[in-house]
Amino acid sequence: MHIDPVNILKDHDLKHTKQRVRVLEEIALDTVAISQPELEKKLGKEIDRVTLYRILNTYEDKGILHRIMDMNGTANYAICSSSCTEHHHHDEHVHFNCSNCQKIYCLDVKIPNIKMPPGFTASSINTTAYGICEKCSAGMKAD
Ligand SMILES: [Zn+2]
Ligand SMILES: [Zn+2]
Ligand SMILES: [Zn+2]
């Protein structure tokens, strides 16, 4: 997936700042989600924690990033599909949390339509699968 941070900011009416561009660049580097501590480590010299936190929140609000909690309760961030808009996320795909490398993958697997009981309105549904990812499985076979 090709990500152009400058265009994304423009599309979402966000002011273009160097720090905002850096955060998106870092997240768009890989196809797997990136955890908040990892982002802090990578961007710590350029962006302080509070600013980073604020940028991530803005991106989540705007439908640019979605947050996935891993099995340790750490927030991870991944780029949204193009159908996400402000306050309306449509990331109804399965996430995969590898118990070996701890990485979170956005899988191209749709969550089936889950019917809520009367009176319950779900604004988002998260489905996370836990196990061993493709890369780790390949590494294990090689041993
Ligand atoms: Zn989204
Ligand atoms: Zn793995
Ligand atoms: Zn995802």
Side-chain angles (χ1 to χ4, degrees), residues 6 29 31-32 38 43 45-46 58 69 74 78 85 125 128 131:
V6 177
L29 267 184
T31 49
V32 296
E38 215 176 316
L43 298 170
K45 286 203 189 92
E46 303 163 61
T58 304
M69 302 305 275
T74 306
T85 54
I125 294 173
T128 307

Side-chain angles (χ1 to χ4, degrees), residues 39-107:
L39 273 174
E40 281 172 17
K41 216 164 58 189
K42 286 192 166 165
L43 298 170
K45 286 203 189 92
E46 303 163 61
I47 307 171
D48 66 77
R49 276 182 75 155
V50 179
T51 308
L52 176 63
Y53 189 75
R54 213 180 299 137
I55 291 173
L56 290 172
N57 270 342
T58 304
Y59 283 169
E60 206 187 343
D61 270 1
K62 289 280 184 181
I64 297 172
L65 296 179
H66 58 288
R67 183 174 46 179
I68 313 117
M69 302 305 275
D70 68 14
M71 55 178 99
N72 304 312
T74 306
N76 285 256
Y77 291 89
I79 301 276
C80 281
S81 64
S82 53
S83 53
C84 290
T85 54
E86 191 161 0
H87 304 302
H88 288 283
H89 282 273
H90 299 281
D91 305 291
E92 283 106 7
H93 52 259
V94 173
H95 288 114
F96 193 96
N97 193 179
C98 178
S99 53
N100 187 53
C101 64
Q102 313 284 316
K103 285 191 162 71
I104 291 187
Y105 295 78
C106 289
L107 296 185

